[in-house]
Amino acid sequence: MRKKWNCYICRMQNAGMEYLNSRLMFGMVPGLKSTRLLCEALGNPQKKFKTIHVVGTNGKGSTSYYLAGILKSFGFRTALYTSPHLVNLRERIRVDDEPIAEADLERYLLQVKAAAELVNQKNCLGEKIEPTFFEVLTLVAFLHYANSGVDVAVLEAGMGGRLDSTAVADGGIAVVTSIGLEHTEILGATESAILKEKMAVVGESSEDASGKIFVLGGLSTSLLEDASEFASALGAKVYVPEIRNDIQLPNLGQHYVENASLSLAAAKIFCESVSVPNGGAGSLYDDALAIQVLVRRSWAGRMQTLSDAQGKVRYILDGAHNSHAVRRLVQALDKYYPGKKFHCVFGALKDKDVGEMLKLMAPYVSHWHITKTPYPRFRELEDLRCQLSGLGLQVASEGLLNRAFLDSVRDGASDDDPVLITGSLYMIGESIQALKQDFEGLSFFRGLEPTTNEHR
């Protein structure tokens, strides 16, 4: 009897997570109807704080992370919303760099579930809403930020902008990091169409977007012209910051310097838009302080170096999972480790262009160590072995990704050379879980237990 009672209590304690996981079956459904109805039912928590949107094809996560850290250093109580997570779902929803507590996550999930039921009861003759996984998490984030008394939330859009659930927060500033062809069946067939779809995160009309500001990142000349025309039609302003040459970051690569430059510009614009306490004059922005913050702010799993107690770099983690990201990876290796070849732990999902990724990486790898996680979408080791063999490359070792496998690779490498781990964010998450107790750079993850990553 006691065992049955304990099982019942366990189910009750996890009812929120069960509801969230039940949303997976609905996949991605662009549109704001469900989110708006639920926000209304929940008392519009998204209106209780200021918002900065971050949209784009690549670079959204690091830009958001840098920006949130800068604003926090200025004394703002700052929220951060990102996706996907690496180890635990709670990473996605943070206030002042602290992940949402497990009890709060469960509580807010049940509030969203109750709100959805209420909306459907009121609309009993109409079509029922079925919020998606991402929509539910976005609403949980809004509730958490509102109840935590945040001043500003930095929201990384999931996909697109105009129809992304984060758009209902109606921020006054939107950062556009980069534009490339992605999700063309939803976002549009050209880069120009995708750009406009993402910029519309601030609204689709001059009534919605007038006076708002776009901070534009790595766009081509033609896309910058398109962005300026689109913003002008909306009555919005554009700002194109210069790439700063005085930025030092833990993350290796020029693209992170570019993203940090966007963050500095967005922080300055935000500070100029808010009142100085006690009627003071000027701006809360402090460039020197912001630069100091960036020196220590490492975006996990993206060209992240892990150093031991003596300061020696033992691993480089990078979630590069397509040829575009691998090009950025090898550019960084060229700059920071010229002429060096690495022991590389590599794994990839079945839907990735592994052949092209391996070709780009081959000049930088001395030993290939192929791996996979239990996640069913991972390529089998035999498949990776065949891909490497077809390129005339040898496999040095292979096995499931765990601490023992990483230790064996580390033991076989030169003591002076870091081991490179790359090919998939799923794999980076597994690596972080295996290594987090030994490296201070992963201390954020020590209180987080792994949760499913099916929804990435």
mmCIF file of all heavy atoms in Angstrom, residues 416-433:
data_model
loop_
_atom_site.group_PDB
_atom_site.id
_atom_site.type_symbol
_atom_site.label_atom_id
_atom_site.label_comp_id
_atom_site.label_asym_id
_atom_site.label_seq_id
_atom_site.Cartn_x
_atom_site.Cartn_y
_atom_site.Cartn_z
ATOM 1 N N ASP A 416 50.058 18.473 -23.648
ATOM 2 C CA ASP A 416 50.018 19.898 -23.976
ATOM 3 C C ASP A 416 48.884 20.276 -24.924
ATOM 4 O O ASP A 416 48.656 21.463 -25.163
ATOM 5 C CB ASP A 416 51.345 20.326 -24.609
ATOM 6 C CG ASP A 416 52.503 20.249 -23.629
ATOM 7 O OD1 ASP A 416 52.260 20.501 -22.432
ATOM 8 O OD2 ASP A 416 53.625 19.928 -24.051
ATOM 9 N N ASP A 417 48.205 19.271 -25.470
ATOM 10 C CA ASP A 417 47.192 19.546 -26.488
ATOM 11 C C ASP A 417 45.784 19.276 -25.956
ATOM 12 O O ASP A 417 45.522 18.209 -25.386
ATOM 13 C CB ASP A 417 47.422 18.670 -27.722
ATOM 14 C CG ASP A 417 48.722 19.004 -28.424
ATOM 15 O OD1 ASP A 417 49.200 20.139 -28.246
ATOM 16 O OD2 ASP A 417 49.241 18.139 -29.146
ATOM 17 N N PRO A 418 44.834 20.207 -26.166
ATOM 18 C CA PRO A 418 43.451 19.943 -25.768
ATOM 19 C C PRO A 418 42.783 18.927 -26.685
ATOM 20 O O PRO A 418 43.165 18.787 -27.859
ATOM 21 C CB PRO A 418 42.782 21.313 -25.886
ATOM 22 C CG PRO A 418 43.619 22.089 -26.840
ATOM 23 C CD PRO A 418 45.014 21.568 -26.702
ATOM 24 N N VAL A 419 41.819 18.209 -26.153
ATOM 25 C CA VAL A 419 40.989 17.307 -26.949
ATOM 26 C C VAL A 419 39.786 18.103 -27.450
ATOM 27 O O VAL A 419 39.143 18.827 -26.682
ATOM 28 C CB VAL A 419 40.524 16.103 -26.104
ATOM 29 C CG1 VAL A 419 39.454 15.299 -26.833
ATOM 30 C CG2 VAL A 419 41.707 15.216 -25.756
ATOM 31 N N LEU A 420 39.495 17.981 -28.731
ATOM 32 C CA LEU A 420 38.363 18.671 -29.340
ATOM 33 C C LEU A 420 37.142 17.748 -29.337
ATOM 34 O O LEU A 420 37.226 16.604 -29.781
ATOM 35 C CB LEU A 420 38.716 19.060 -30.778
ATOM 36 C CG LEU A 420 37.618 19.693 -31.630
ATOM 37 C CD1 LEU A 420 37.165 21.032 -31.046
ATOM 38 C CD2 LEU A 420 38.097 19.870 -33.078
ATOM 39 N N ILE A 421 36.012 18.246 -28.814
ATOM 40 C CA ILE A 421 34.755 17.495 -28.793
ATOM 41 C C ILE A 421 33.737 18.286 -29.595
ATOM 42 O O ILE A 421 33.423 19.435 -29.253
ATOM 43 C CB ILE A 421 34.240 17.287 -27.363
ATOM 44 C CG1 ILE A 421 35.307 16.619 -26.490
ATOM 45 C CG2 ILE A 421 32.967 16.447 -27.368
ATOM 46 C CD1 ILE A 421 34.896 16.463 -25.030
ATOM 47 N N THR A 422 33.201 17.693 -30.670
ATOM 48 C CA THR A 422 32.308 18.456 -31.538
ATOM 49 C C THR A 422 31.415 17.535 -32.363
ATOM 50 O O THR A 422 31.586 16.323 -32.374
ATOM 51 C CB THR A 422 33.113 19.389 -32.456
ATOM 52 O OG1 THR A 422 32.229 20.314 -33.093
ATOM 53 C CG2 THR A 422 33.884 18.607 -33.510
ATOM 54 N N GLY A 423 30.451 18.147 -33.077
ATOM 55 C CA GLY A 423 29.593 17.417 -34.002
ATOM 56 C C GLY A 423 28.114 17.514 -33.692
ATOM 57 O O GLY A 423 27.288 17.323 -34.574
ATOM 58 N N SER A 424 27.765 17.813 -32.436
ATOM 59 C CA SER A 424 26.353 17.848 -32.058
ATOM 60 C C SER A 424 26.189 18.476 -30.679
ATOM 61 O O SER A 424 26.960 18.187 -29.767
ATOM 62 C CB SER A 424 25.779 16.424 -32.035
ATOM 63 O OG SER A 424 24.542 16.389 -31.365
ATOM 64 N N LEU A 425 25.161 19.305 -30.517
ATOM 65 C CA LEU A 425 24.868 19.861 -29.200
ATOM 66 C C LEU A 425 24.414 18.781 -28.223
ATOM 67 O O LEU A 425 24.646 18.868 -27.018
ATOM 68 C CB LEU A 425 23.799 20.942 -29.301
ATOM 69 C CG LEU A 425 24.282 22.348 -29.665
ATOM 70 C CD1 LEU A 425 23.099 23.275 -29.870
ATOM 71 C CD2 LEU A 425 25.217 22.911 -28.607
ATOM 72 N N TYR A 426 23.755 17.740 -28.734
ATOM 73 C CA TYR A 426 23.377 16.616 -27.870
ATOM 74 C C TYR A 426 24.626 16.007 -27.239
ATOM 75 O O TYR A 426 24.654 15.676 -26.049
ATOM 76 C CB TYR A 426 22.654 15.542 -28.679
ATOM 77 C CG TYR A 426 21.316 15.949 -29.238
ATOM 78 C CD1 TYR A 426 21.224 16.598 -30.464
ATOM 79 C CD2 TYR A 426 20.144 15.678 -28.551
ATOM 80 C CE1 TYR A 426 19.999 16.955 -30.992
ATOM 81 C CE2 TYR A 426 18.911 16.031 -29.071
ATOM 82 C CZ TYR A 426 18.842 16.673 -30.293
ATOM 83 O OH TYR A 426 17.626 17.044 -30.806
ATOM 84 N N MET A 427 25.643 15.848 -28.069
ATOM 85 C CA MET A 427 26.899 15.255 -27.596
ATOM 86 C C MET A 427 27.605 16.178 -26.610
ATOM 87 O O MET A 427 28.183 15.720 -25.615
ATOM 88 C CB MET A 427 27.795 14.985 -28.809
ATOM 89 C CG MET A 427 28.876 13.963 -28.553
ATOM 90 S SD MET A 427 29.766 13.653 -30.062
ATOM 91 C CE MET A 427 30.794 15.087 -30.147
ATOM 92 N N ILE A 428 27.536 17.467 -26.852
ATOM 93 C CA ILE A 428 28.142 18.424 -25.925
ATOM 94 C C ILE A 428 27.453 18.345 -24.569
ATOM 95 O O ILE A 428 28.100 18.403 -23.517
ATOM 96 C CB ILE A 428 28.058 19.854 -26.502
ATOM 97 C CG1 ILE A 428 28.917 19.964 -27.773
ATOM 98 C CG2 ILE A 428 28.513 20.865 -25.462
ATOM 99 C CD1 ILE A 428 30.375 19.644 -27.586
ATOM 100 N N GLY A 429 26.123 18.212 -24.583
ATOM 101 C CA GLY A 429 25.395 18.076 -23.328
ATOM 102 C C GLY A 429 25.839 16.857 -22.538
ATOM 103 O O GLY A 429 26.043 16.927 -21.314
ATOM 104 N N GLU A 430 26.016 15.737 -23.220
ATOM 105 C CA GLU A 430 26.495 14.514 -22.563
ATOM 106 C C GLU A 430 27.909 14.716 -22.021
ATOM 107 O O GLU A 430 28.242 14.245 -20.922
ATOM 108 C CB GLU A 430 26.482 13.351 -23.556
ATOM 109 C CG GLU A 430 25.099 12.904 -23.980
ATOM 110 C CD GLU A 430 24.460 11.960 -22.976
ATOM 111 O OE1 GLU A 430 25.154 11.479 -22.074
ATOM 112 O OE2 GLU A 430 23.241 11.717 -23.101
ATOM 113 N N SER A 431 28.743 15.416 -22.766
ATOM 114 C CA SER A 431 30.122 15.665 -22.333
ATOM 115 C C SER A 431 30.156 16.556 -21.104
ATOM 116 O O SER A 431 30.941 16.334 -20.174
ATOM 117 C CB SER A 431 30.927 16.308 -23.477
ATOM 118 O OG SER A 431 30.961 15.473 -24.608
ATOM 119 N N ILE A 432 29.309 17.576 -21.089
ATOM 120 C CA ILE A 432 29.238 18.468 -19.925
ATOM 121 C C ILE A 432 28.816 17.687 -18.688
ATOM 122 O O ILE A 432 29.389 17.852 -17.600
ATOM 123 C CB ILE A 432 28.272 19.634 -20.208
ATOM 124 C CG1 ILE A 432 28.904 20.605 -21.210
ATOM 125 C CG2 ILE A 432 27.906 20.365 -18.916
ATOM 126 C CD1 ILE A 432 27.977 21.691 -21.686
ATOM 127 N N GLN A 433 27.826 16.823 -18.860
ATOM 128 C CA GLN A 433 27.379 16.020 -17.727
ATOM 129 C C GLN A 433 28.510 15.140 -17.190
ATOM 130 O O GLN A 433 28.672 14.966 -15.977
ATOM 131 C CB GLN A 433 26.184 15.153 -18.150
ATOM 132 C CG GLN A 433 25.653 14.212 -17.088
ATOM 133 C CD GLN A 433 25.105 14.922 -15.863
ATOM 134 O OE1 GLN A 433 24.872 16.130 -15.888
ATOM 135 N NE2 GLN A 433 24.896 14.176 -14.793
#
